[in-house]
Amino acid sequence: MFRRGLFSRAFRWIVAISLLALTSSLLAQKAVPAGVNADLPAGPMQAKATTACLECHEARIILQQRLSKGAWTKEVDKMTKWGAVVDPADRDALIEYLSANFGPEKPPYQPQKTAASIR
Amino acid sequence: MNRISMNSRRAFLKQISGAAMVAGMAPSILTWARAQEQVIPFPNEDGMILRSFRFIDLESPVEYFNSFLTPVPRFFVRNHMHEPSELDAAAWRLEVGGEVEKPLTLSLAELSKLGTHSVINTLECAGNGRSLQRPQVPGIQWGKGAVGTARFSGPRLGDVLQRAGVKPTGKHVMFRGRDEVPGKVPPFIRSIPIEKALDGDTLIATHMNGSPLTKHHGFPARALVPGWIGAASCKWLTEIKVLDAEFVGNFMSPGYRFPNHPVNPGDAVKPEDTHPLTALTVKSVIAGPSDGASLKAHQIVVHGTAWAGEADIAKVEISTDGGIHWNAAKLGHDQAHYAWRLWSYDWEPVKAGDYTIQSRATDSAGRVQPATPVWNPSGYLYNAIDEVKVHVS
């Protein structure tokens, strides 16, 4: 009896602490719902690509493309003309990063869905 | 996903929401639980394929194409830019100017006094089906669902233009919306020829399926250019300008143009060998059975929808033997000039096995869906014969 009471009290504390930790970590993310933001893949150009591209649009627009290096070159140059901040010294590396991660040979992109609202 | 895991997941969500309410932290816990399902919370949108969150681009799963009118929460959303951060119906004004005798400024109340006309229109993004092009081309990688049908209502654009008095020099009509443009991106402005603008079915739509437009669909007013590519129907309309020539801007050229002659997949096309996209082409999509489905023999209902822009659907045919034999599908009774036709075909497979079901539409202008996609550098107007692969046991 005593042992069971102790166990359930400890269990309740563990649950409460985990819920608190989870909530505070979620609140720390600028109140953006979890799962909404997608990231660009890791690599030497990840940070610069994030700054250059995701200022105007989100990562999914890039993640879903499957383009040749020639097509990525045109996209990078078009977007630079449209305001993407790309240091000329970084242009080739950015094209390389996008072509390596999002080339025609990569498996198809799997999109997410929005939650159901009609029952 | 089977029914049991779905139910237990719902039960889990229900339990966790109860616990969260007690702890006073419902929203974040629920959001977290939903993210675990790889589903993104999105108010007033119903199970849509998320192509982009910022800007918002949402696609309907083809399984939704089983009703003549598409409910607004299941209607695709295409944005080129950020949606307007502020939309005040009371402060909204529509400017009508350019090559007109008497420029106008209309409030929403004044606009609503100019009569209401309704058009049931199938709206399709010019890039619908882009992801199926080979080689792949840049742009939102739409599957088959950037299309939907709704009843759009509002005053005729022609009546508004008549009030302003179009001068003989007026040849094109330009629309400007309130999209918010990031960086140095050119604004989303396009124009349509005066003949289409004065057509009795071209509207300044304020309503969709009987309700005021929602924000994602252009509240409080949008152009509705029936039978034409979605990009012609500018959302969050604030300015209509009559021009003496086609508008010059990125979304007229190089955007939304089609090669004058067939090109080999992957080839570059010179700008002077292209023309602006206008009306949609002939197309059908299979809504069911779903691609990859396992079916029991007996009667299988193959069903879907077909549309042809400004033309009418003449017939839809189904093949289950790789295109050797084609059988007529039954067309649904609901029809309207610019709207799709639902269709169905009762199929009785004679033996078990793997099948490819194909659908092919023909329109009143004699156009037929091609067996291979008509490739072009931006992947517009994909309309190859549709197909799904199924297993019959």
Side-chain angles (χ1 to χ4, degrees):
Chain A
M1 193 66 180
F2 174 76
R3 283 182 69 174
R4 208 179 124 214
L6 186 68
F7 174 76
S8 72
R9 213 178 303 160
F11 180 74
R12 259 183 262 155
W13 271 108
I14 291 165
V15 169
I17 290 166
S18 339
L19 279 175
L20 265 177
L22 181 67
T23 314
S24 53
S25 75
L26 284 165
L27 290 177
Q29 296 172 4
K30 283 199 283 183
V32 173
V36 166
N37 285 328
D39 289 325
L40 291 174
M45 286 302 290
Q46 184 192 21
K48 282 179 175 168
T50 299
T51 314
C53 310
L54 308 196
E55 171 76 18
C56 289
H57 62 77
E58 69 138 318
R60 286 180 185 87
I61 289 183
I62 296 171
L63 305 184
Q64 65 192 267
Q65 310 296 327
R66 296 289 180 271
L67 302 175
S68 66
K69 194 169 175 181
W72 273 121
T73 304
K74 278 189 196 164
E75 285 305 303
V76 167
D77 290 345
K78 180 178 84 179
M79 293 301 172
T80 306
K81 193 177 79 185
W82 285 0
V85 181
V86 180
D87 189 320
D90 292 330
R91 173 182 173 269
D92 291 353
L94 181 60
I95 292 165
E96 198 57 52
Y97 167 81
L98 293 167
S99 315
N101 285 291
F102 308 108
E105 74 291 348
K106 295 285 174 186
Y109 174 71
Q110 297 298 332
Q112 291 166 299
K113 280 193 178 179
T114 71
S117 65
I118 298 178
R119 300 285 175 189
Chain B
M1 181 185 310
N2 63 39
R3 188 177 292 272
I4 293 163
S5 77
M6 194 69 180
N7 280 344
S8 63
R9 192 169 295 188
R10 286 229 179 90
F12 167 72
L13 281 174
K14 212 169 165 183
Q15 277 170 10
I16 202 165
S17 72
M21 291 300 182
V22 172
M25 48 180 79
S28 51
I29 294 290
L30 284 178
T31 306
W32 169 78
R34 283 198 202 103
Q36 303 316 298
E37 289 197 311
Q38 285 301 296
V39 157
I40 304 294
F42 213 123
N44 306 317
E45 296 295 334
D46 183 39
M48 300 290 280
I49 300 165
L50 181 67
R51 295 289 165 200
S52 166
F53 197 86
R54 182 176 65 101
F55 336 104
I56 301 169
D57 288 299
L58 305 173
E59 174 176 341
S60 310
V62 290
E63 289 76 12
Y64 286 1
F65 298 153
N66 57 9
S67 63
F68 185 56
L69 295 184
T70 312
V72 174
R74 293 183 164 195
F75 204 102
F76 84 98
V77 176
R78 167 63 173 133
N79 291 334
H80 295 77
M81 316 276 171
H82 302 300
E83 292 189 347
S85 47
E86 215 177 296
L87 285 167
D88 179 354
W92 178 87
R93 294 291 181 273
L94 177 62
E95 306 282 343
V96 183
E99 301 294 314
V100 296
E101 305 293 350
K102 197 179 77 168
L104 307 171
T105 302
L106 299 167
S107 69
L108 200 53
E110 286 164 331
L111 188 69
S112 69
K113 286 185 197 135
L114 297 179
T116 287
H117 181 64
S118 289
V119 174
I120 298 176
N121 180 57
T122 293
L123 197 67
E124 185 186 19
C125 174
N128 192 25
R130 177 179 288 124
S131 67
L132 305 168
Q133 297 277 13
R134 293 293 179 277
Q136 292 169 85
V137 296
I140 296 294
Q141 297 298 305
W142 299 112
K144 302 173 185 178
V147 58
T149 299
R151 178 186 284 109
F152 293 91
S153 313
R156 289 183 165 100
L157 174 61
D159 289 347
V160 174
L161 291 174
Q162 204 172 23
R163 249 182 84 147
V166 177
K167 290 181 182 172
T169 45
K171 302 291 182 210
H172 288 260
V173 176
M174 178 206 101
F175 303 123
R176 182 198 294 268
R178 274 197 62 185
D179 321 40
E180 291 176 9
V181 181
K184 293 182 233 162
V185 177
F188 184 72
I189 302 176
R190 301 189 74 253
S191 68
I192 61 170
I194 190 78
E195 297 77 20
K196 186 67 176 175
L198 295 176
D199 186 288
D201 287 328
T202 299
L203 309 178
I204 300 175
T206 54
H207 287 67
M208 189 172 173
N209 290 348
S211 299
L213 289 172
T214 61
K215 182 175 182 179
H216 300 325
H217 294 285
F219 177 85
R222 71 178 301 170
L224 193 277
V225 183
W228 283 33
I229 59 164
S233 295
C234 177
K235 300 195 281 189
W236 311 291
L237 194 60
T238 55
E239 186 189 355
I240 296 171
K241 192 171 179 183
V242 181
L243 307 175
D244 61 3
E246 190 175 287
F247 177 74
V248 177
N250 178 75
F251 294 96
M252 293 303 291
S253 181
Y256 293 109
R257 293 182 88 85
F258 203 78
N260 294 335
H261 307 289
V263 294
N264 292 320
D267 279 3
V269 180
K270 292 191 191 117
E272 59 270 30
D273 291 337
T274 63
H275 60 273
L277 289 172
T278 55
L280 296 170
T281 187
V282 62
K283 187 163 174 178
S284 67
V285 167
I286 299 168
S290 300
D291 193 34
S294 280
L295 309 164
K296 296 252 185 288
H298 307 307
Q299 208 174 57
I300 293 166
V301 180
V302 180
H303 66 101
T305 182
W307 62 96
E310 293 178 321
D312 298 321
I313 287 296
K315 62 178 176 181
V316 175
E317 298 161 293
I318 304 303
S319 175
T320 54
D321 61 5
I324 300 165
H325 298 95
W326 292 91
N327 306 292
K330 196 169 70 186
L331 297 179
H333 67 271
D334 287 324
Q335 52 182 311
H337 184 51
Y338 300 101
W340 63 23
R341 289 290 288 277
L342 300 181
W343 53 261
S344 69
Y345 171 70
D346 295 331
W347 177 39
E348 288 182 53
V350 288
K351 58 178 199 291
D354 292 322
Y355 288 90
T356 299
I357 306 172
Q358 294 174 294
S359 72
R360 178 176 76 182
T362 302
D363 73 9
S364 54
R367 298 180 298 182
V368 186
Q369 281 184 268
T372 52
V374 181
W375 190 90
N376 58 97
S378 294
Y380 295 132
L381 301 185
Y382 177 94
N383 76 328
I385 289 171
D386 195 26
E387 63 176 50
V388 294
K389 293 185 191 309
V390 298
H391 179 75
V392 176
S393 57

